[in-house]
Amino acid sequence: MDAQEEDPTLTIDDRLGYPIVVAANVRQQLVQFLRACGRFVVLCDANRHVRTYAQSLTRGVRGRIDVIPVQLGEPRKRLATVERVLERLAACGADRETLVLGVGGGVASDLFGFAAATFMRGVPYAHVATSLVAMVDAAIGGKTGVDLDAGKNLAGVFRDPIAVFAHVDAMRTLAPKHVREGLAEIVKASIIEGGEFFEMLEWLSAHPSSRWPWARIVADSIAVKAAIVAEDHLEHGAREVLNLGHTFAHAYERASGYRVSHGAAVSVGLRAAGIMAQRLTGFDNGEHLRVATLLTLLGMPVRLELDPKTVYAAMSTDKKKRAGVLRFVLPRAIGDVEFGVRVPARTLLDTLARCTQLPGAADR
């Protein structure tokens, strides 16, 4: 593989029943789509880059009603923001046949998708993903929602978009820390998939990210998620594997008052899952260290100095609990992941304590 090989110009994945378009610049495909849809309104992150891009994407396209910028970020991913969005949709004259087009990252996908699902009991929704985490995870699969005081993503619905557009060139405007947000989800997907995908990331980790074949990486990550979601759309079983590292991650976010970013929390959560899996699923220590090494080489954190008891308490409202019992997703091997694993409290607290330390003896 050549790290400098050109990205493919266009990939379309439709196994979820709607097109997912991956391209360096999606404007041509998006304009064709919008012309076929008729009336549409644009909701976009108020971030300067995203707002400018959203306006340029749809300027001059017949049927555009309005472009509505919304201040986002995890602290604003709340029902109050949804209410403001719904009022703006009503005020601009949107109706049941109006397409809502969301433009932005992961928070935008979650919140705008939820707003579209509830406006007039549901209007069609499409998303242009401008962050790596939205391209490979948040915009794919139909999960929408917002946070409550009690926990992350506790209010929401499953509602599929009618199309997703991954605008890969938007990554040029992202700060390195925001690229790493998406990298955590890509590493997660590679642990689930294993084989060439994981090995490709190991090889690429020695090269500057500016030379990576990003469209291919995004398309490969989407393919992993799409295949799983297609088998279990409403997360009754196998889709839970996509939560690898996330029971830890959501607790880390909540315990820190959301000062720890989602990507950083997922990275440490992947290490935590590996530590625990060595005891409970027979995950090989050598494979665990491959994961921890990859995360480190990619500049991802692998420890957090948060009180283990505080993090443990933050897991109390995790959505994956069944009959009040926490269930974890743990690897058996790279490329073989098990869901629904029950973990003794003592083992969980010990794992959280180990993740306050640097990798080494704590990982055995």
Side-chain angles (χ1 to χ4, degrees):
M1 176 187 209
D2 183 354
Q4 292 182 318
E5 71 181 56
E6 291 188 6
D7 285 339
T9 57
L10 181 67
T11 300
I12 299 179
D13 192 314
D14 60 1
R15 75 190 76 188
L16 293 180
Y18 51 87
I20 302 171
V21 179
V22 181
N25 190 320
V26 299
R27 188 176 192 279
Q28 180 180 348
Q29 293 76 28
L30 178 64
V31 169
Q32 292 174 351
F33 169 78
L34 292 175
R35 285 173 177 164
C37 288
R39 281 164 48 92
F40 68 95
V41 61
V42 181
L43 299 174
C44 68
D45 191 319
N47 171 287
R48 177 173 59 86
H49 293 296
V50 176
R51 185 175 68 251
T52 300
Y53 177 64
Q55 291 169 336
S56 69
L57 270 180
T58 60
R59 185 177 293 116
V61 182
R62 292 185 63 182
R64 189 180 88 172
I65 300 173
D66 201 358
V67 176
I68 302 172
V70 181
Q71 292 288 342
L72 294 177
E74 196 69 41
R76 293 188 177 93
K77 187 179 160 184
R78 306 297 293 242
L79 289 168
T81 307
V82 174
E83 182 179 7
R84 287 194 292 272
V85 170
L86 296 176
E87 294 288 2
R88 291 291 302 274
L89 289 174
C92 76
D95 58 30
R96 285 184 172 178
E97 295 183 355
T98 301
L99 169 74
V100 173
L101 177 68
V103 182
V107 171
S109 173
D110 286 350
L111 191 143
F112 294 160
F114 184 41
T118 54
F119 183 67
M120 295 191 175
R121 297 190 176 93
V123 296
Y125 180 75
H127 192 79
V128 179
T130 62
S131 76
L132 187 56
V133 72
M135 294 178 205
V136 302
D137 186 56
I140 311 299
K143 280 187 176 181
T144 73
V146 295
D147 304 336
L148 303 179
D149 288 342
K152 190 176 173 73
N153 296 328
L154 291 185
V157 297
F158 285 96
R159 179 66 180 260
D160 282 331
I162 62 173
V164 174
F165 299 85
H167 176 62
V168 178
D169 275 358
M171 288 180 55
R172 296 177 181 177
T173 69
L174 299 179
K177 67 178 182 179
H178 293 140
V179 174
R180 289 194 293 270
E181 290 291 293
L183 275 176
E185 297 291 350
I186 291 171
V187 172
K188 177 201 74 176
S190 76
I191 296 169
I192 294 169
E193 180 71 7
E196 293 182 2
F197 191 7
F198 188 87
E199 292 166 4
M200 175 179 69
L201 293 182
E202 287 185 305
W203 189 83
L204 286 171
S205 67
H207 298 80
S209 62
S210 60
R211 299 173 61 193
W212 286 22
W214 279 110
R216 175 184 171 182
I217 294 166
V218 169
D220 285 353
S221 298
I222 289 172
V224 173
K225 182 165 187 177
I228 293 168
V229 173
E231 294 296 320
D232 178 23
H233 182 245
L234 298 181
E235 201 173 52
H236 293 310
R239 182 170 176 168
E240 287 189 23
V241 301
L242 294 170
N243 289 309
L244 176 64
H246 281 58
T247 298
F248 290 102
H250 291 166
Y252 282 132
E253 290 177 84
R254 187 179 175 209
S256 72
Y258 296 98
R259 290 187 299 275
V260 173
S261 72
H262 180 67
V266 169
S267 180
V268 180
L270 292 174
R271 180 189 171 205
I275 291 173
M276 206 150 63
Q278 291 178 82
R279 301 186 183 187
L280 300 175
T281 69
F283 189 41
D284 179 73
N285 178 254
E287 292 210 320
H288 167 65
L289 293 179
R290 284 179 68 189
V291 173
T293 299
L294 176 59
L295 292 167
T296 301
L297 289 173
L298 294 177
M300 304 295 297
V302 289
R303 64 187 287 263
L304 285 171
E305 294 184 6
L306 291 173
D307 176 57
K309 292 182 179 179
T310 302
V311 178
Y312 180 81
M315 292 181 176
S316 62
T317 57
D318 189 88
K319 299 186 304 298
K320 292 169 290 300
K321 289 176 73 172
R322 297 291 186 272
V325 178
L326 279 169
R327 294 139 43 87
F328 286 82
V329 181
L330 301 177
R332 290 185 287 245
I334 295 173
D336 181 11
V337 178
E338 180 179 351
F339 65 92
V341 181
R342 297 189 177 193
V343 178
R346 181 177 297 179
T347 300
L348 176 53
L349 283 165
D350 180 65
T351 299
L352 293 170
R354 288 169 183 254
C355 286
T356 65
Q357 307 168 40
L358 290 171
D363 289 72
R364 293 184 177 274

